[in-house]
Amino acid sequence: MADKTSDSGERTQLELWIGGAAVVVLGLLCLLVLSPFISAALWAAILCFTTWPLFLRLENLLGGRRTLSALIATLILAAVIVVPVAILGATLADNVSALVSASQKIIHEGPPTPPDWVASIPLIGGRISTYWEHLNESSSVRLQELSRLLPAAKVVALWGGKSLADGIIQIILSLLIAFFFYRDGHAAANQLQAALHRIAGERGDRLLDLAGATIRAVVYGVLGTALLQGVVAAIGFAIAGVPGSVSLGFVTFVLSFLPGGPPIVAAPAAFWLYRQGFPAWAVFIMAWGLMVGALDNVVKPLLISRGGSTPMILVMLGVLGGALAFGLIGLFLGPTLVALGYSLFEQWSVSAAGNHDNGIEV
């Protein structure tokens, strides 16, 4: 009888191990199947979380028609994304044509004579001055040097095109997923709140509120600051008469997520103005680019600090790491996840310290 009981216990233990292994394998297989859509789903969740109060107002205006409200909210999100792209596309042809003409003129005329101070730069000044004078010899020399850069430019263009295409696909997927999040968001929110309350009690409710505030603050801070920088940069390019001001403003918007992005866009524009015989405007546009870049240090911390105390170095690393991990959409997704993780860790640290002071083991 004891042997039968022992065998039954061993079989039960073996069945538990087999069942657990099956669950783990099934979870890994599900993760493998859904992995192409993880970034789109996360971005859709962030969009819905950020705009959820507005969605609730829309739902109330429509008398509680959840599916219709979800459809209209998704269409509004799509319009917010599509309208700027459409405006850019409408002016892109003229802007690119103007930029190409300006580049051809620089290639034909060549760069200006190098200033005397260039040669006095320690270690590299002589080489820079010699190479600069080499470019001034003739247009054929400049074309030859430019042809050497074409393979690298081709690789960069292909990588940029692939990243842009992937980003567009991810945005379309995120909008489709957002519709279902809006429609079924009430049930999901109630389940999440109940689960957190069951696990952590009132602390779970506070963590959920903290997560919402952090997500909204980072999205508004990162996206809002970049949009402001792009608009201000485009205004400066238009004032100075730089061709393709709208396209350059869009490029500034994209590069604003990276440290020192706006001055990188302003530098070629300043060089073009200098070559056209407008040194004062060249100085203006370079100063304008530095001012646009400085907005990142003023506006973004102000907006993000409303949702938490995430250090800006973590936000910057989140932008770079998010772009490497998730592509174009990672520019927004990365800093949001990092800031959320830091805020939750900070809240846990405060709670742990409080429990330790009260003599409670954590």
Side-chain angles (χ1 to χ4, degrees):
M1 185 71 179
D3 292 339
K4 291 182 179 180
T5 304
S6 177
D7 292 342
S8 177
E10 290 178 358
R11 285 199 300 269
T12 302
Q13 189 70 21
L14 180 61
E15 289 172 356
L16 288 175
W17 279 103
I18 293 175
V23 170
V24 171
V25 172
L26 180 61
L28 292 176
L29 291 176
C30 290
L31 184 62
L32 179 64
V33 171
L34 297 176
S35 58
F37 311 104
I38 289 178
S39 61
L42 288 174
W43 180 235
I46 289 173
L47 285 176
C48 292
F49 212 105
T50 305
T51 59
W52 190 252
L54 299 178
F55 171 73
L56 293 180
R57 294 183 183 179
L58 178 62
E59 188 179 17
N60 290 332
L61 289 176
L62 295 177
R65 299 176 183 175
R66 191 166 299 170
T67 302
L68 180 60
S69 302
L71 178 60
I72 294 176
T74 305
L75 292 176
I76 292 174
L77 284 179
V80 170
I81 297 173
V82 170
V83 168
V85 176
I87 295 175
L88 176 67
T91 59
L92 187 60
D94 293 337
N95 290 339
V96 170
S97 177
L99 289 172
V100 169
S101 299
S103 301
Q104 289 176 342
K105 188 173 183 180
I106 291 177
I107 293 174
H108 177 72
E109 297 178 356
T113 302
D116 296 335
W117 58 265
V118 173
S120 62
I121 298 177
L123 299 178
I124 61 173
R127 295 181 180 180
I128 294 176
S129 180
T130 301
Y131 182 72
W132 197 326
E133 292 175 354
H134 174 67
L135 292 177
N136 273 329
E137 291 180 2
S138 64
S139 59
S140 60
V141 172
R142 290 186 289 274
L143 289 174
Q144 182 180 359
E145 292 295 324
L146 184 63
S147 64
R148 295 171 55 184
L149 300 176
L150 288 180
K154 181 180 179 181
V155 172
V156 173
L158 290 175
W159 177 82
K162 181 179 180 300
S163 299
L164 181 61
D166 291 343
I168 292 174
I169 293 174
Q170 292 293 329
I171 289 173
I172 294 174
L173 285 175
S174 66
L175 291 173
L176 180 62
I177 297 172
F179 167 77
F180 294 99
F181 282 173
Y182 278 131
R183 192 189 66 177
D184 306 322
H186 289 281
N190 292 334
Q191 291 177 357
L192 178 61
Q193 188 172 11
L196 287 176
H197 186 79
R198 185 173 182 178
I199 294 172
E202 295 182 358
R203 185 185 302 173
D205 298 334
R206 291 197 301 269
L207 290 177
L208 188 60
D209 293 338
L210 176 64
T214 301
I215 289 173
R216 294 187 184 96
V218 172
V219 171
Y220 295 155
V222 174
L223 189 59
T225 303
L227 182 61
L228 176 64
Q229 288 177 297
V231 171
V232 173
I235 293 174
F237 291 133
I239 292 174
V242 178
S245 58
V246 176
S247 296
L248 291 175
F250 180 77
V251 174
T252 303
F253 164 74
V254 174
L255 293 183
S256 293
F257 298 101
L258 304 177
I264 293 176
V265 183
F271 177 75
W272 180 84
L273 288 168
Y274 179 79
R275 290 296 294 146
Q276 300 303 307
F278 304 111
W281 282 114
V283 174
F284 164 80
I285 206 65
M286 201 62 223
W288 190 272
L290 293 173
M291 183 270 293
V292 172
L295 291 176
D296 189 74
N297 300 321
V298 178
V299 180
K300 187 182 293 183
L302 181 63
L303 294 176
I304 293 180
S305 63
R306 297 173 60 186
S309 55
T310 308
M312 285 308 302
I313 182 63
L314 288 182
V315 175
M316 183 183 69
L317 293 177
V319 169
L320 297 176
L324 293 175
F326 301 105
L328 182 64
I329 207 168
L331 295 173
F332 313 102
L333 188 58
T336 303
L337 294 176
V338 169
L340 177 58
Y342 179 82
S343 296
L344 294 178
F345 173 77
E346 190 177 41
Q347 181 71 16
W348 174 82
S349 299
V350 172
S351 300
N355 291 334
H356 179 73
D357 292 340
N358 293 328
I360 303 176
E361 293 186 2
V362 180

